């Protein structure tokens, strides 16, 4: 994996532009026109290949005069670049997937609170789309923006005692519903013949990548934050956190996950570390 790009480095801005271009090209050109760029999916940032590619993409966009991307290049708004680069990273299962961790540091002095909330909604829409395409897990549009799609999926797995990919493949369709009291329920349709094909959403890397992005959305959304009181070594403390999920093992066949509480402060310092609150130290929750 390439060395992390620091925010005060000139390479940081270039990396954001590069990922933004990669995403924008994919939106505005046919797949045949961008095949050559897919070869660079895992290219390291600070290499001659990276700089050559950045120059090539820039020249390509100038020739094509793609309006959205030309505006992006000319304005160089850092908040836009972060948004574009997020959309590139969330669709990758390479080192670019860890860009969700970089965005936490990059966004501190760039994104306003409203921009962060918008990005949280946007990330959740992307996650919901991935679950719909990969698992036919249907989440209504009114629930996608402000609720964690991964939380719905994990709740369904636990309520129905689903522990393996093979069990999940028995479902042709899973639909999430919410009643007037906010109670969530699931309507399902079983596969009538043989088990249907599913994209491997739960491979060892892909689902872990999705967890990183859903944590970023929860971090950016204040409504997802909770508070609890802890006591450790006689000292009491109120801690802000958000709910998350973590695997109990890294098997590619077993769907074994547990819910955890991720403290905001430790997440900000080390988002790539799976740090959670110890339940035995919590003396009062949801305060």
């Amino acid at each position: 994996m390439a060395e992390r790009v620091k925010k005060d480095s000139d390479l940081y801005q270039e990396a954001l532009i590069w990922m933004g271009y990669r995403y924008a090209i994919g939106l505005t050109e046919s797949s045949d026109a961008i095949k050559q760029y897919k070869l660079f999916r895992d290219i390291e940032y600070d290499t001659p290949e990276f700089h050559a590619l950045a120059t090539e993409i820039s020249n390509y966009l100038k020739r094509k005069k793609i309006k959205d991307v030309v505006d992006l290049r000319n304005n160089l708004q850092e908040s836009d670049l972060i948004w574009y680069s997020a959309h590139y990273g969330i669709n990758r299962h390479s080192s670019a997937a860890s860009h969700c961790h970089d965005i936490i540091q990059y966004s501190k002095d760039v994104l306003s609170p409203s921009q962060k909330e918008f990005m949280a909604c946007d990330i959740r829409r992307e996650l919901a789309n991935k679950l719909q395409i990969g698992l036919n897990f249907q989440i209504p549009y009114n629930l996608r923006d402000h609720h964690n799609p991964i939380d719905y999926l994990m709740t369904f797995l636990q309520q129905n005692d689903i522990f393996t990919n093979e069990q999940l493949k028995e479902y042709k369709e899973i639909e999430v519903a919410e009643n007037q009291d906010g109670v969530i329920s699931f309507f399902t349709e079983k596969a009538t013949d043989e088990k249907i094909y599913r994209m491997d959403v739960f491979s060892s890397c892909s689902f872990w990548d999705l967890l990183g992005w859903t944590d970023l959305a929860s971090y950016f959304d204040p409504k997802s934050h909770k508070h609890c009181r802890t006591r450790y070594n006689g000292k009491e403390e109120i801690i802000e956190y958000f709910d998350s999920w973590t695997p109990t093992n890294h098997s590619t066949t077993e769907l074994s996950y547990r819910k955890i509480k991720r403290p905001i402060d430790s997440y900000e310092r080390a988002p790539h570390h799976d740090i959670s609150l110890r339940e035995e130290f919590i003396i009062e929750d949801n305060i």
Side-chain angles (χ1 to χ4, degrees):
M1 183 182 294
E3 184 178 352
R4 287 190 178 277
V5 180
K6 295 183 178 179
K7 181 174 173 52
D8 56 358
S9 168
D10 292 338
L11 197 58
Y12 154 68
Q13 190 80 356
E14 189 173 354
L16 280 181
I17 295 171
W18 175 66
M19 285 190 280
Y21 282 163
R22 292 290 302 281
Y23 173 69
I25 289 172
L27 286 180
T28 54
E29 288 294 309
S30 67
S31 57
D32 288 341
I34 60 168
K35 279 183 179 178
Q36 56 179 313
Y37 299 111
K38 293 183 179 179
L39 299 175
F40 296 92
R41 192 170 350 198
D42 297 308
I43 192 172
E44 294 188 355
Y45 290 144
D46 198 7
T47 62
E49 292 81 7
F50 165 76
H51 295 286
L53 178 63
T55 300
E56 183 180 355
I57 292 176
S58 179
N59 292 335
Y60 171 82
L61 295 171
K62 289 176 183 176
R63 293 195 305 272
K64 286 293 186 179
K65 299 191 183 304
I66 303 171
K67 183 181 183 304
D68 291 343
V69 185
V70 170
D71 289 345
L72 172 65
R73 184 189 64 238
N74 291 338
N75 295 331
L76 294 181
Q77 294 293 324
E78 195 171 8
S79 58
D80 292 334
L81 291 174
I82 290 175
W83 184 86
Y84 271 79
S85 64
H87 273 270
Y88 171 75
I90 201 172
N91 286 293
R92 301 272 73 83
H93 295 305
S94 63
S95 58
S98 64
H99 184 54
C100 56
H101 302 149
D102 300 323
I103 288 177
I104 296 169
Q105 299 301 319
Y106 295 166
S107 64
K108 283 185 176 179
D109 303 319
V110 176
L111 299 182
S112 67
S114 61
Q115 286 174 320
K116 290 179 180 179
E117 289 189 58
F118 173 80
M119 183 171 282
C121 293
D122 205 47
I123 290 171
R124 286 167 177 157
R125 292 189 202 113
E126 285 290 316
L127 293 171
N129 287 338
K130 280 187 170 294
L131 296 183
Q132 180 171 332
I133 294 171
L135 301 174
N136 206 6
F137 192 84
Q138 309 282 345
I139 302 175
Y141 286 100
N142 65 311
L143 296 181
R144 292 186 176 196
D145 292 358
H146 303 292
H147 293 77
N148 179 356
I150 301 298
D151 196 47
Y152 289 139
L153 176 60
M154 302 311 297
T155 300
F156 172 78
L157 296 180
Q158 293 188 348
Q159 286 184 1
N160 292 274
D161 296 326
I162 298 173
F163 304 107
T164 67
N165 276 317
E166 290 302 309
Q167 289 176 295
L168 187 58
K169 290 177 182 178
E170 295 176 357
Y171 291 85
K172 180 179 179 181
E173 181 179 4
I174 306 162
E175 183 179 351
V176 181
E178 182 184 38
N179 66 17
Q180 294 181 341
D181 297 325
V183 177
I184 295 297
S185 57
F186 302 96
F187 296 91
T188 64
E189 181 180 350
K190 288 288 191 78
T192 55
D193 300 319
E194 61 185 27
K195 295 176 182 177
I196 60 177
Y197 169 77
R198 293 291 194 212
M199 293 175 62
D200 194 6
V201 175
F202 282 94
S203 67
S204 58
C205 64
S206 63
F207 196 69
W208 183 257
D209 295 336
L210 297 185
L211 290 177
W213 288 99
T214 198
D215 281 353
L216 178 62
S218 295
Y219 171 69
F220 275 166
D221 180 15
K223 294 183 293 298
S224 297
H225 298 184
K226 302 177 181 180
H227 296 81
C228 67
R229 188 188 308 277
T230 63
R231 181 184 294 134
Y232 179 71
N233 285 342
K235 179 182 177 182
E236 292 190 7
E237 184 179 5
I238 295 178
I239 296 179
E240 185 178 11
Y241 71 90
F242 59 82
D243 290 324
S244 180
W245 294 87
T246 189
T248 56
N249 61 61
H250 291 275
S251 169
T252 57
T253 58
E254 295 184 17
L255 309 181
S256 180
Y257 291 82
R258 64 183 178 90
K259 204 167 192 176
I260 60 172
K261 296 177 173 64
R262 299 206 68 178
I264 296 291
D265 58 349
S266 61
Y267 179 73
E268 288 176 338
R269 293 194 304 270
H272 51 290
H273 291 162
D274 195 18
I275 301 174
S276 61
L277 290 173
R278 299 274 295 273
E279 294 287 344
E280 61 266 31
F281 297 145
I282 297 176
I283 57 176
E284 186 179 6
D285 201 0
N286 294 319
I287 59 177

